[in-house]
Amino acid sequence: MQDLRILIARLGWPSTAARWWAMQELAARLGAPATQAGTETALLQFLRSRKLEAEVVEALSIFWMAAREYRYLPTAELASSVPKPSLLSKLFLDDLGLPAQASDADLREVPEDFEIPDDFDGVQGVDLPRMFRTALSRLEAQTRLPFVRQMAYEWTANRTAYPDVPYQGDLWHFAGPLGAGFSAQLSARAALRAISAFLRALAVAVQLWKMPPDLADEKALLALPIHPTLALLRQNRPVWFPGRTDFDGDASAIEATSRALLDRVAVVRPNGELIAFSSPVVMTMDRCVEVSLMRWSQSGGSEIEDAGLAEHLKAIWRRGHPLPCVGPEPLSTTTIVAPPTLDRLSEAKSKAWPMAGTLDFARLGYLQLDLYPSRIFLPTLPGIAEAEIVPRDGQLEIKVDDKVVADLCYWNAGWGPARAKQLGGNCGTALVSRGTAYREGAGSQDVALRCFYLWQVRTLHRSNSSDEFEETLATGAFFS
């Protein structure tokens, strides 16, 4: 029972990762017969006490995760326990097969004399991403309706939800003790208030301005706390994970270590290939080391010498290759990927292309931002019509024609509430193939085709724990 109280308490923490992981553990308790009854009672009580629309959605996400992963059958009492309905809570209840409440009856259009307060502008891009305001600004430009002012009005109104503490989770409290150059990974009360205001502005648009419900639902998905496909991604560091000192040394030593890493992967996954890997391998207060590896293919006719590939492709690798993705249904755990053509993917001078890209931003969860933009690797699969991403046993499987061609694993690697700005994330991920089907698309018939790996070792170091990290970046390439 003490564990349950601790997990529910963590739902109020501003740390995004802590909330997501607590939601996963609570969903598992809902799905286990021995703990289901007590967990359900406690979560229903928690849900009824929520004061903001975004808080309600986070609570409903736990029931949804339990239903999707553990075949939990939600109680009918869940639908009547929602104190602050929204377009997003309705989507979750619909997906759970439960009737949803109508929107709040107290929806009001922003008064003409209302002025946007300074604190509303102040939280944009600080306490929450700018994407919510940006989405409403675009709707405002298209319709000439006061979407942004409506969100600001709702922000002002929901201050009364927590009149004594309308703000929470001071960034300096979490990031300050770590020194300069850190960004906090928080979604505190100000963010929850702003996201709730965003959802209420959309509800006003549907109810009072006759906005098409489908369009409103599409915009409401920006307020998802968890990406439906990534919601059940569980931490599981692979047994072949490198040691803390493995990537110390010069370029020759790093290449030798990288080859040894590939050999260890092959032992665990016979006939499999490491397509992409990125993770901190050292995380201390005075030194951090982040290692990235990616497999590339190259056809004949390159204008770039082999020794110059790493330098030539460095900027292209840094920009990444986001792959267009879409969910067939708003809360579908399946994500459909549209692979690029080889012409679009291949770099002209080197005739090389990456074998992995990354998930785009079509759907994302604000509690999972540590995974973006560079951690959710997917095979690029040039020449393939489409692929599917589905969760399976805590990992992601990438399928082509119902055949699994690769899977992605994820693990925590370091600090929770803040990260050094130079790092791609506090977590690590690896994309490993099942066989070679993932690279048998366009270009695979070229007799001159060959494969190589680009590697990158980013080392952050400082002599004083209050200073900002200095960065050293080493890159290289080797053929497999």
Side-chain angles (χ1 to χ4, degrees):
M1 195 63 182
Q2 187 67 21
D3 290 348
L4 178 58
R5 285 195 292 267
I6 291 172
L7 286 171
I8 290 180
R10 286 181 180 173
L11 297 177
W13 288 11
S15 169
T16 53
R19 289 227 295 283
W20 175 29
W21 298 336
M23 291 162 66
Q24 289 182 329
E25 295 303 321
L26 287 164
R29 289 179 63 96
L30 270 179
T35 55
Q36 182 177 103
T39 304
E40 184 177 73
T41 299
L43 284 175
L44 287 173
Q45 182 179 353
F46 174 79
L47 174 59
R48 296 187 195 103
S49 68
R50 299 305 86 202
K51 300 177 180 181
L52 296 168
E53 286 78 3
E55 293 177 332
V56 167
V57 171
E58 287 190 16
L60 288 177
S61 298
I62 301 170
F63 292 92
W64 177 86
M65 289 162 67
R68 284 302 183 106
E69 179 71 0
Y70 305 105
R71 300 184 182 275
Y72 164 74
L73 296 176
T75 172
E77 191 178 350
L78 180 61
S80 60
S81 299
V82 173
K84 285 288 185 179
S86 65
L87 297 176
L88 206 46
S89 67
K90 182 180 184 300
L91 287 176
F92 274 102
L93 290 173
D94 286 347
D95 202 70
L96 289 169
L98 297 173
Q101 287 179 255
S103 298
D104 269 6
D106 63 345
L107 292 174
R108 293 180 53 201
E109 187 171 4
V110 55
E112 291 186 6
D113 59 352
F114 174 78
E115 295 184 6
I116 295 178
D118 291 340
D119 63 346
F120 176 76
D121 289 329
V123 299
Q124 309 299 324
V126 179
D127 290 277
L128 81 160
R130 295 183 182 274
M131 63 182 183
F132 302 104
R133 178 167 183 160
T134 300
L136 294 187
S137 295
R138 289 172 178 167
L139 287 173
E140 190 167 305
Q142 295 167 3
T143 64
R144 298 187 179 181
L145 291 167
F147 277 92
V148 174
R149 291 179 66 247
Q150 186 68 47
M151 180 181 173
Y153 175 68
E154 302 295 348
W155 158 267
T156 302
N158 70 25
R159 183 187 181 95
T160 60
Y162 295 96
D164 298 326
V165 192
Y167 307 98
Q168 172 215 34
D170 178 69
L171 299 181
W172 175 254
H173 174 81
F174 292 94
L178 296 174
F182 281 79
S183 58
Q185 299 188 141
L186 305 177
S187 179
R189 186 161 294 157
L192 291 170
R193 286 179 54 209
I195 294 168
S196 299
F198 170 80
L199 289 170
R200 286 185 65 87
L202 292 175
V204 166
V206 171
Q207 187 167 311
L208 304 181
W209 301 339
K210 308 306 178 186
M211 181 180 184
D214 288 347
L215 176 59
D217 287 347
E218 177 188 331
K219 300 303 180 184
L221 293 177
L222 288 174
L224 281 171
I226 49 173
H227 187 299
T229 302
L230 309 182
L232 302 166
L233 193 60
R234 302 295 292 256
Q235 301 177 66
N236 184 19
R237 183 178 296 192
V239 296
W240 47 260
F241 189 80
R244 290 170 55 87
T245 61
D246 284 1
F247 284 89
D248 295 345
D250 59 14
S252 296
I254 292 172
E255 178 180 330
T257 298
S258 299
R259 291 185 182 277
L261 178 66
L262 299 180
D263 291 341
R264 293 200 299 273
V265 173
V267 170
V268 177
R269 178 70 63 80
N271 301 318
E273 298 171 346
L274 181 64
I275 308 173
F277 168 91
S278 188
S279 176
V281 296
V282 177
M283 292 283 272
T284 68
M285 289 298 291
D286 56 4
R287 185 170 180 265
C288 302
V289 178
E290 181 184 57
V291 176
S292 300
L293 278 169
M294 185 174 290
R295 188 179 177 102
W296 291 62
S297 284
Q298 184 183 42
S299 59
S302 172
E303 301 174 23
I304 308 299
E305 297 291 334
D306 290 354
L309 278 174
E311 182 64 28
H312 179 74
L313 296 171
K314 183 168 64 175
I316 297 171
W317 189 14
R318 184 173 62 247
R319 288 197 301 270
H321 292 81
L323 303 179
C325 300
V326 65
E329 299 292 337
L331 297 181
S332 174
T333 56
T334 298
T335 293
I336 305 299
V337 184
T341 63
L342 184 58
D343 288 344
R344 187 173 179 182
L345 191 62
S346 180
E347 197 279 320
K349 290 186 176 181
S350 65
K351 309 297 183 186
W353 63 93
M355 303 303 288
T358 53
L359 189 71
D360 73 356
F361 298 95
R363 292 194 297 178
L364 54 84
Y366 62 77
L367 296 182
Q368 300 168 308
L369 295 184
D370 195 35
L371 296 168
Y372 293 91
S374 61
R375 289 296 195 250
I376 302 298
F377 294 116
L378 308 171
T380 47
L381 302 170
I384 302 298
E386 70 174 31
E388 290 185 346
I389 316 169
V390 296
R392 178 80 64 190
D393 298 329
Q395 298 187 343
L396 300 182
E397 290 184 344
I398 296 86
K399 296 182 175 182
V400 174
D401 296 330
D402 291 326
K403 179 183 178 181
V404 179
V405 297
D407 49 50
L408 181 125
C409 61
Y410 148 81
W411 57 90
N412 183 41
W415 295 300
R419 78 179 183 198
K421 291 180 179 179
Q422 299 96 322
L423 298 181
N426 286 338
C427 63
T429 57
L431 181 68
V432 181
S433 76
R434 296 192 188 179
T436 59
Y438 80 97
R439 56 181 172 90
E440 293 174 358
S444 60
Q445 294 78 29
D446 189 333
V447 294
L449 187 71
R450 55 183 187 163
C451 295
F452 64 92
Y453 281 91
L454 289 185
W455 59 261
Q456 175 180 283
V457 177
R458 186 187 309 275
T459 303
L460 309 182
H461 48 89
R462 61 185 179 182
S463 56
N464 189 314
S465 61
S466 63
D467 293 340
E468 188 167 352
F469 280 110
E470 295 181 6
E471 177 183 342
T472 302
L473 186 65
T475 59
F478 62 89
F479 284 81
S480 59

